[in-house]
Amino acid sequence: MEIRQTVEIRVRGTVQGVGFRPTVWRLACDEGLVGEVLNDGQGVLIRTTGNSVSIAQFLTRLHNEAPPLSQIEDVKTQVLNLLDFEDFRIAESVSGENFTRVTPDAAICAACREEVLDPKERRFGYPFANCTHCGPRFSIVKEVPYDRVNTTMADFPMCASCTREYLQPADRRFHAQPIACATCGPSIWLERVDTNVASGYPRATAALDSAVELLKNGAVVAIRGLGGFHLACDATNAEAVQGLRQRKHRYGKPFALMARDLDTIRRYCNLTRAEAKLLQSPEAPIVLLSADGPEKLPAGIAPGLNTVGFMLPYTPLHLLITQQIDGPLVMTSGNISDEPQVTSLDTARAGLRGIADAMLMHDREIANRIDDSVVRIAAGRPSLIRRARGYAPSAVPLPAGFEGAPDLLAFGGELKATFCVLKHGAAILSQHQGDLEDVSTFEDYQKNLQLYSKIYNHRPRLLAADMHPEYLSAKLAKQRAADDNLPLVEVQHHHAHIASCMVENGEALNAPPVLGIALDGLGFGEDGTIWGGEFLLADYRGFRRLAAFKPVAMVGGVQAIREPWRNTYAHLAAGMGWAEFVEKFSALELSRYLIRKPLPTINRMLETGLNVPLASSCGRLFDAVAAALGLCADLALFEGQGAMELEAIAETWAEGGDSPYNFAITEQAGSGLLHLESLPMWQALLDDLGQQTPIARMAARFHYGLARAIRDMVARIRVTNAALNTVALSGGCFQNKLLLEELVRLLKADGLSCLFHAKVPSNDGGLALGQAAIAAARHIERSYPANLQGSSASNKVRSNQCVLESLAK
Ligand SMILES: [Zn+2]
Ligand SMILES: [Zn+2]
């Protein structure tokens, strides 16, 4: 039986600025309902009158046909006294407590794409077409609420045609804040660096055509995009690629590519369905793909690697350029050495002059620099390596128990820095900012802290930061805590990694402890030494260190990161001892190679203990093994280069995991701390070297051996901790797909439940989220189990502090 009733529907989530109200309007009209829909401080509020069947139908369709960029987190309905409405209308917004979510930028949608490519449409060839389902969002926001006047589109008053579309609920551009067309919106022009001739609007086509012509002829063109400048060149032209590397002084790191469509990418990479879907998603990230297609790219694109990062054009501007180019383009960040991506016209003119032959400019300011995100499919799901455009600043939902979390701010780490705003029980993880030791990156990081504070109207009651005394983010947090008289929670690096993994996997606040395995380069340990291969019994509030990779000296501190051979030497010297190595393996090329190094100096450093901090680092073990196999032994151009090359070459070994290398488990006298000991692995590896074993086989034996050793350590820990049945994997080393997938397989085979990262990076980009969760948990429940209690000031050993200070630099 049909009953006429009035229902109030409250929708929470990402529902503003994404075309939600027009969708509600359209569905309500379809279902013959009357009523109203409006935005308020909590999301979207609908009041509607109609027969109960139609209302039920409306609610079902609201879920199924919600606009593509919206994310409904919660819908609550409540029956009201019967209200009469004349029709269904979109009512004025009601301001309230301001917690409007800012939506990430979204790639051009199918409808806009068609328009831009259709000569009959008025936006044909227009590089800034967008609608409620796509286009710039976060990159143009200066203030909230998200209205045109508070974005960099304020400089472009809407023309009459755009205004009509903006006001028409049935239009795809109803209330699309960045709405624009060739009459009223931003325009492009080309500046030639050599001649200083600028060709501009209304000859936008001429600017595009010239840029395309230049690219086809091997030139480097700087392109002002959505979140910053790119440097582009023809990726199939080895000379152009090499030229770009030389001009940019970027020799090691792989270049990202952009291609017009999936078919072009398939010439170089055999795409899986999941990869194709990810490339075409509104987030449109750079996807790391196996370079296993029929055609080969020049070696200069991704030196030493068997993967390549591809993305599809995500703005109309990129679409219009790539439409005219048959093959892929290099599309790398437009920056100078390690500085952040350039965003402003003047900085580009000054800074990119010596790199680009021409600059394709536009006049819409970039309010927030945002890099391209990088994702890889690993262990069956998309796994974020760099979380920026398309993903930030969307909220990461907090698990059960965190409802009472205080508003707080977590400052993150030092490299791949992000920060995290906790407000109303939601965690907003900032976009990737870069390495804070770069002065302009650190300035940008501070600017963004202010911006987020403004956008989210955020006044933290609590601050959180890394325990490292020399991280710039931690120093800033201390300063802020003193200035604003706020409590500061200092969080151990690897505990933060594990907590971030727990949050994104929805582990409840009061869930039993997990066995956290944090593998990375280095982080400040509670005992004042450097950690980086940790097995922690952890919950959100605290942890206990149960096992670690056996510490080995980092000879020369940071120099050990730059010169990987130092780690090889340190591992050999610490394991079998140098004398024994020389005696047994003098015939090896490795031995002749190391003898040429300044060993007497290094030995003196080891004897005196000067600048040789001990590190239980998994990252350094990878460096040591890579260098022993001759992979970037002398110099790493970026941290982790050796590990990436080692993984790449291990992947090529068809036999996979046959006869993995053995490791040993030992117990540290007195403390009971278990050590993962790599000496047996080294002995087998050196024998392999002596027998001219293929490098790929040794790399594979190492990867599979390490995974098995970690599994064995887990089993050993469970002998005395039988209740532990959940393992959380985090830290930058888990960007290694081979290691992650093999370890997950082994742990699952042992009946363990395995948490690992997907939406939040496993590297230091995820630290801020973990810090936020830990600070919130400690605040919510101040009394926590003594066995998991974190550090107390008294047990911190600061002997290595000077060394760590130098390491932070
Ligand atoms: Zn669109
Ligand atoms: Zn217009």
Side-chain angles (χ1 to χ4, degrees):
M1 197 184 72
E2 291 184 1
I3 307 162
R4 198 170 151 77
Q5 58 177 193
T6 299
V7 175
E8 182 177 275
I9 304 160
R10 152 71 59 203
V11 191
R12 285 194 183 83
T14 306
V15 288
Q16 295 185 5
V18 291
F20 204 84
R21 289 173 305 159
T23 302
V24 168
W25 176 85
R26 180 174 57 80
L27 296 177
C29 294
D30 270 11
E31 297 299 331
L33 302 175
V34 293
E36 60 182 8
V37 55
L38 55 89
N39 280 345
D40 66 8
Q42 297 183 58
V44 163
L45 188 69
I46 304 163
R47 286 193 199 94
T48 184
T49 302
N51 73 59
S52 51
V53 177
S54 302
I55 292 176
Q57 182 71 14
F58 167 78
L59 281 169
T60 310
R61 287 186 66 188
L62 192 59
H63 273 287
N64 296 339
E65 299 174 38
L69 299 182
S70 66
Q71 274 181 348
I72 299 177
E73 281 166 17
D74 179 45
V75 176
K76 284 205 169 68
T77 58
Q78 176 187 3
V79 178
L80 304 180
N81 290 332
L82 202 63
L83 289 171
D84 256 335
F85 298 94
E86 273 174 32
D87 52 10
F88 198 95
R89 66 181 52 188
I90 297 176
E92 283 292 304
S93 297
V94 176
S95 61
E97 165 63 1
N98 181 12
F99 189 50
T100 43
R101 305 265 174 88
V102 179
T103 323
D105 302 287
I108 182 169
C109 71
C112 285
R113 191 188 154 89
E114 263 177 47
E115 274 184 14
V116 169
L117 298 178
D118 181 354
K120 294 193 294 294
E121 292 288 343
R122 78 182 189 93
R123 288 188 178 83
F124 171 62
Y126 184 58
F128 302 93
N130 65 79
C131 72
T132 41
H133 305 149
C134 74
R137 295 289 188 278
F138 179 65
S139 62
I140 59 168
V141 174
K142 295 197 286 190
E143 304 246 4
V144 283
Y146 173 68
D147 285 329
R148 191 179 182 93
V149 291
N150 289 329
T151 71
T152 57
M153 283 302 292
D155 305 338
F156 304 94
M158 274 184 249
C159 69
S161 309
C162 284
T163 308
R164 259 196 308 280
E165 294 167 331
Y166 182 88
L167 294 174
Q168 173 53 252
D171 196 282
R172 202 172 84 243
R173 297 192 165 88
F174 176 75
H175 278 221
Q177 302 304 332
I179 187 173
C181 72
T183 309
C184 64
S187 51
I188 59 166
W189 68 93
L190 188 79
E191 296 181 14
R192 293 289 300 256
V193 169
D194 49 356
T195 56
N196 253 328
V197 175
S199 55
Y201 188 81
R203 294 175 56 249
T205 343
L208 259 179
D209 291 348
S210 314
V212 166
E213 206 47 42
L214 282 163
L215 288 167
K216 283 182 176 167
N217 289 322
V220 173
V221 180
I223 301 171
R224 191 185 211 195
L226 185 71
F229 273 84
H230 282 120
L231 289 161
C233 74
D234 177 357
T236 61
N237 181 335
E239 226 172 288
V241 171
Q242 217 42 50
L244 176 55
R245 285 210 178 274
Q246 274 155 13
R247 293 190 207 174
K248 218 187 157 198
H249 301 296
R250 178 175 166 131
Y251 299 104
K253 284 189 187 171
F255 280 150
L257 307 181
M258 183 182 274
R260 60 195 283 181
D261 51 25
L262 291 180
D263 282 342
T264 308
I265 299 177
R266 284 196 182 101
R267 280 161 39 193
Y268 306 95
C269 309
N270 289 313
L271 292 178
T272 65
R273 201 180 304 167
E275 287 163 345
K277 193 175 154 208
L278 192 55
L279 284 160
Q280 292 177 302
S281 67
E283 292 83 6
I286 295 168
V287 181
L288 295 189
L289 305 165
S290 296
D292 54 0
E295 291 180 43
K296 294 283 162 252
L297 288 157
I301 296 290
L305 302 180
N306 56 355
T307 52
V308 60
F310 261 111
M311 60 184 150
L312 289 174
Y314 53 85
T315 72
L317 178 61
H318 295 123
L319 175 72
L320 292 165
I321 295 169
T322 51
Q323 279 296 306
Q324 299 190 53
I325 295 177
D326 183 44
L329 287 174
V330 166
M331 201 59 85
T332 188
S333 300
N335 59 353
I336 307 138
S337 57
D338 286 332
E339 287 179 16
Q341 203 177 11
V342 169
T343 55
S344 83
L345 296 177
D346 288 342
T347 326
R349 285 180 188 124
L352 303 180
R353 209 184 163 75
I355 305 175
D357 299 298
M359 303 192 188
L360 188 59
M361 304 293 218
H362 67 70
D363 53 0
R364 186 181 66 207
E365 289 307 314
I366 296 168
N368 304 310
R369 174 174 68 80
I370 187 152
D371 296 286
D372 295 316
S373 293
V374 180
V375 187
R376 183 179 197 180
I377 304 273
R381 49 180 161 154
S383 156
L384 271 155
I385 293 169
R386 183 163 74 202
R387 185 179 178 277
R389 177 182 53 75
Y391 297 94
S394 56
V396 182
L398 288 175
F402 281 97
E403 294 79 10
D407 288 1
L408 66 86
L409 176 61
F411 283 73
E414 179 92 340
L415 304 177
K416 300 179 178 72
T418 59
F419 55 82
C420 182
V421 163
L422 213 73
K423 180 162 177 174
H424 290 186
I428 319 285
L429 185 60
S430 82
Q431 79 268 35
H432 163 88
Q433 319 263 335
D435 298 349
L436 298 186
E437 56 239 51
D438 171 71
V439 175
S440 44
T441 306
F442 189 46
E443 278 167 12
D444 242 42
Y445 168 89
Q446 294 175 77
K447 197 192 102 197
N448 281 329
L449 278 171
Q450 282 171 8
L451 175 86
Y452 275 68
S453 142
K454 201 154 76 174
I455 290 182
Y456 295 103
N457 189 20
H458 188 238
R459 272 181 286 284
R461 294 166 53 199
L462 190 62
L463 305 178
D466 196 277
M467 217 176 234
H468 198 305
E470 292 301 321
Y471 274 8
L472 290 167
S473 58
K475 286 181 163 178
L476 192 68
K478 274 187 195 128
Q479 187 61 49
R480 174 86 185 269
D483 291 349
D484 297 357
N485 196 20
L486 291 170
L488 170 67
V489 180
E490 291 180 81
V491 180
Q492 199 280 322
H493 192 96
H494 303 96
H495 186 206
H497 271 309
I498 298 306
S500 77
C501 181
M502 290 164 67
V503 170
E504 90 149 290
N505 285 285
E507 282 287 291
L509 176 64
N510 288 319
V514 302
L515 176 56
I517 305 178
L519 307 183
D520 67 0
L522 31 116
F524 192 82
E526 286 207 313
D527 57 1
T529 71
I530 300 166
W531 293 8
E534 310 305 314
F535 296 76
L536 310 176
L537 177 66
D539 63 14
Y540 287 109
R541 298 166 185 103
F543 71 93
R544 206 171 73 207
R545 191 186 196 202
L546 301 179
F549 282 36
K550 188 171 182 188
V552 173
M554 279 177 63
V555 181
V558 274
Q559 268 180 298
I561 300 172
R562 287 195 214 107
E563 299 178 16
W565 65 267
R566 288 169 180 265
N567 302 295
T568 315
Y569 180 75
H571 268 92
L572 294 173
M576 65 186 59
W578 182 246
E580 186 185 333
F581 170 75
V582 173
E583 189 188 319
K584 282 193 186 156
F585 300 101
S586 60
L588 291 185
E589 171 54 32
L590 175 64
S591 163
R592 289 195 293 275
Y593 168 81
L594 287 174
I595 283 170
R596 289 197 297 270
K597 297 292 178 189
L599 299 185
T601 317
I602 285 175
N603 287 333
R604 253 194 320 278
M605 289 165 75
L606 286 168
E607 277 161 25
T608 54
L610 192 73
N611 205 13
V612 284
L614 284 176
S616 56
S617 166
C618 179
R620 296 295 83 77
L621 175 64
F622 267 92
D623 283 349
V625 170
L629 303 192
L631 300 173
C632 87
D634 278 329
L635 188 68
L637 296 163
F638 54 93
E639 195 187 357
Q641 187 185 4
M644 281 166 73
E645 292 185 11
L646 193 65
E647 179 192 2
I649 202 151
E651 292 268 7
T652 64
W653 185 249
E655 259 74 7
D658 79 307
S659 57
Y661 289 145
N662 286 319
F663 289 67
I665 296 173
T666 55
E667 194 171 325
Q668 193 182 43
S671 70
L673 183 71
L674 296 170
H675 274 155
L676 192 71
E677 158 85 69
S678 59
L679 179 60
M681 181 280 296
W682 282 108
Q683 280 158 336
L685 184 146
L686 293 171
D687 286 341
D688 268 355
L689 276 177
Q691 291 158 24
Q692 314 283 324
T693 306
I695 292 182
R697 175 158 198 252
M698 291 188 275
R701 292 187 75 183
F702 170 70
H703 274 84
Y704 287 94
L706 183 60
R708 210 176 61 171
I710 296 167
R711 189 271 309 263
D712 291 347
M713 180 64 92
V714 172
R716 170 75 178 265
I717 288 169
R718 289 182 73 220
V719 170
T720 43
N721 297 272
L724 269 181
N725 50 23
T726 302
V727 177
L729 309 177
S730 191
C733 293
F734 284 113
Q735 282 167 213
N736 185 314
K737 182 175 144 116
L738 188 55
L739 177 66
L740 175 72
E741 292 182 344
E742 177 63 5
L743 183 56
V744 168
R745 190 184 71 77
L746 292 171
L747 294 172
K748 282 186 176 165
D750 284 352
L752 290 159
S753 131
C754 229
L755 313 179
F756 54 96
H757 287 277
K759 291 177 236 150
V760 175
S762 65
N763 59 44
D764 285 5
L767 280 181
L769 178 66
Q771 292 168 356
I774 290 166
R778 289 189 186 161
H779 181 91
I780 292 167
E781 166 107 47
R782 284 179 194 282
S783 56
Y784 44 94
N787 64 331
L788 291 183
Q789 188 132 11
S791 66
S792 62
S794 60
N795 67 15
K796 278 185 207 164
V797 181
R798 296 285 184 177
S799 58
N800 263 319
Q801 188 154 329
C802 302
V803 175
L804 283 154
E805 280 169 15
S806 74
L807 281 176
K809 294 292 138 198

CSV table of all heavy atoms in Angstrom, one decimal, residues 122-123 126 148 156-163 165 179-185, ligand 2:
chain,number,residue,atom,x,y,z
A,122,ARG,N,30.7,23.9,-28.5
A,122,ARG,CA,31.3,25.3,-28.3
A,122,ARG,C,32.6,25.2,-27.6
A,122,ARG,O,33.4,26.1,-27.6
A,122,ARG,CB,30.3,26.2,-27.7
A,122,ARG,CG,30.0,26.1,-26.2
A,122,ARG,CD,29.0,27.1,-25.8
A,122,ARG,NE,28.9,27.2,-24.3
A,122,ARG,CZ,29.6,28.1,-23.6
A,122,ARG,NH1,30.4,28.9,-24.1
A,122,ARG,NH2,29.4,28.0,-22.2
A,123,ARG,N,32.9,24.1,-26.9
A,123,ARG,CA,34.2,24.0,-26.2
A,123,ARG,C,35.1,23.1,-27.0
A,123,ARG,O,36.1,22.6,-26.4
A,123,ARG,CB,34.0,23.4,-24.8
A,123,ARG,CG,33.3,24.4,-23.8
A,123,ARG,CD,33.3,23.9,-22.4
A,123,ARG,NE,32.8,24.9,-21.5
A,123,ARG,CZ,31.5,25.0,-21.3
A,123,ARG,NH1,30.6,24.2,-21.9
A,123,ARG,NH2,31.0,26.0,-20.5
A,126,TYR,N,39.0,23.5,-26.5
A,126,TYR,CA,39.2,24.4,-25.4
A,126,TYR,C,40.0,23.6,-24.2
A,126,TYR,O,39.5,22.7,-23.7
A,126,TYR,CB,37.9,25.0,-24.9
A,126,TYR,CG,38.2,26.0,-23.8
A,126,TYR,CD1,39.0,27.1,-24.0
A,126,TYR,CD2,37.6,25.8,-22.5
A,126,TYR,CE1,39.3,28.0,-23.0
A,126,TYR,CE2,37.9,26.7,-21.5
A,126,TYR,CZ,38.7,27.8,-21.7
A,126,TYR,OH,39.0,28.6,-20.7
A,148,ARG,N,33.6,29.8,-6.5
A,148,ARG,CA,34.5,30.4,-7.5
A,148,ARG,C,35.3,31.5,-7.0
A,148,ARG,O,36.5,31.6,-7.3
A,148,ARG,CB,33.6,30.8,-8.7
A,148,ARG,CG,34.5,31.1,-9.9
A,148,ARG,CD,33.5,31.5,-11.1
A,148,ARG,NE,34.1,31.9,-12.3
A,148,ARG,CZ,34.3,31.0,-13.3
A,148,ARG,NH1,34.0,29.7,-13.1
A,148,ARG,NH2,34.8,31.4,-14.5
A,156,PHE,N,38.3,35.1,-13.6
A,156,PHE,CA,37.6,34.9,-14.9
A,156,PHE,C,36.1,35.0,-14.7
A,156,PHE,O,35.5,33.9,-14.5
A,156,PHE,CB,38.0,33.6,-15.5
A,156,PHE,CG,39.5,33.4,-15.7
A,156,PHE,CD1,40.3,32.8,-14.7
A,156,PHE,CD2,40.2,33.9,-16.8
A,156,PHE,CE1,41.7,32.6,-14.8
A,156,PHE,CE2,41.6,33.7,-16.9
A,156,PHE,CZ,42.3,33.1,-15.9
A,157,PRO,N,35.5,36.2,-14.8
A,157,PRO,CA,34.0,36.3,-14.7
A,157,PRO,C,33.4,35.4,-15.8
A,157,PRO,O,33.8,35.4,-16.9
A,157,PRO,CB,33.8,37.7,-14.9
A,157,PRO,CG,35.1,38.4,-14.8
A,157,PRO,CD,36.1,37.5,-15.1
A,158,MET,N,32.3,34.7,-15.4
A,158,MET,CA,31.6,33.8,-16.3
A,158,MET,C,30.9,34.6,-17.4
A,158,MET,O,30.3,35.7,-17.1
A,158,MET,CB,30.5,33.1,-15.5
A,158,MET,CG,31.0,31.8,-14.9
A,158,MET,SD,29.5,31.0,-14.1
A,158,MET,CE,29.8,31.3,-12.4
A,159,CYS,N,30.9,34.1,-18.6
A,159,CYS,CA,30.2,34.7,-19.7
A,159,CYS,C,28.7,34.3,-19.6
A,159,CYS,O,28.4,33.5,-18.7
A,159,CYS,CB,30.7,34.3,-21.0
A,159,CYS,SG,30.5,32.6,-21.4
A,160,ALA,N,27.9,34.9,-20.4
A,160,ALA,CA,26.4,34.6,-20.3
A,160,ALA,C,26.1,33.1,-20.6
A,160,ALA,O,25.3,32.5,-19.9
A,160,ALA,CB,25.7,35.5,-21.3
A,161,SER,N,26.8,32.5,-21.5
A,161,SER,CA,26.5,31.1,-21.8
A,161,SER,C,26.9,30.2,-20.7
A,161,SER,O,26.2,29.3,-20.3
A,161,SER,CB,27.3,30.6,-23.1
A,161,SER,OG,27.0,31.5,-24.1
A,162,CYS,N,28.1,30.5,-20.1
A,162,CYS,CA,28.5,29.7,-18.9
A,162,CYS,C,27.6,29.9,-17.8
A,162,CYS,O,27.3,28.9,-17.0
A,162,CYS,CB,30.0,30.0,-18.6
A,162,CYS,SG,31.2,29.3,-19.7
A,163,THR,N,27.2,31.1,-17.5
A,163,THR,CA,26.3,31.4,-16.4
A,163,THR,C,25.0,30.6,-16.6
A,163,THR,O,24.5,30.1,-15.6
A,163,THR,CB,25.9,32.9,-16.4
A,163,THR,OG1,27.2,33.6,-16.4
A,163,THR,CG2,25.1,33.3,-15.2
A,165,GLU,N,24.5,27.8,-18.0
A,165,GLU,CA,24.8,26.4,-17.7
A,165,GLU,C,24.9,26.2,-16.2
A,165,GLU,O,24.5,25.2,-15.6
A,165,GLU,CB,26.1,25.9,-18.4
A,165,GLU,CG,26.0,25.8,-19.9
A,165,GLU,CD,27.3,25.7,-20.6
A,165,GLU,OE1,28.4,26.1,-20.0
A,165,GLU,OE2,27.4,25.1,-21.7
A,179,ILE,N,33.8,26.3,-14.0
A,179,ILE,CA,33.2,26.4,-15.3
A,179,ILE,C,33.9,27.4,-16.2
A,179,ILE,O,34.2,28.5,-15.7
A,179,ILE,CB,31.7,26.6,-15.3
A,179,ILE,CG1,31.0,26.5,-16.6
A,179,ILE,CG2,31.4,28.0,-14.7
A,179,ILE,CD1,29.5,26.6,-16.6
A,180,ALA,N,34.2,27.1,-17.4
A,180,ALA,CA,34.9,28.1,-18.3
A,180,ALA,C,34.7,27.7,-19.7
A,180,ALA,O,34.3,26.6,-20.1
A,180,ALA,CB,36.4,28.0,-18.0
A,181,CYS,N,34.8,28.7,-20.6
A,181,CYS,CA,34.9,28.4,-22.0
A,181,CYS,C,35.8,29.4,-22.7
A,181,CYS,O,36.4,30.2,-22.0
A,181,CYS,CB,33.5,28.6,-22.6
A,181,CYS,SG,32.9,30.3,-22.8
A,182,ALA,N,36.0,29.3,-24.0
A,182,ALA,CA,37.0,30.1,-24.7
A,182,ALA,C,36.7,31.6,-24.6
A,182,ALA,O,37.6,32.4,-24.6
A,182,ALA,CB,37.1,29.7,-26.1
A,183,THR,N,35.4,31.9,-24.4
A,183,THR,CA,35.0,33.3,-24.3
A,183,THR,C,35.4,33.9,-22.9
A,183,THR,O,35.9,35.1,-22.9
A,183,THR,CB,33.5,33.5,-24.4
A,183,THR,OG1,33.1,32.8,-25.6
A,183,THR,CG2,33.1,34.9,-24.5
A,184,CYS,N,35.3,33.2,-21.8
A,184,CYS,CA,35.5,33.8,-20.5
A,184,CYS,C,36.6,33.2,-19.7
A,184,CYS,O,37.1,33.8,-18.7
A,184,CYS,CB,34.2,33.7,-19.7
A,184,CYS,SG,33.7,32.0,-19.4
A,185,GLY,N,37.1,32.0,-20.1
A,185,GLY,CA,38.0,31.3,-19.2
A,185,GLY,C,39.5,31.5,-19.5
A,185,GLY,O,39.8,32.4,-20.3
B,2,ZN,ZN,32.1,31.1,-20.7
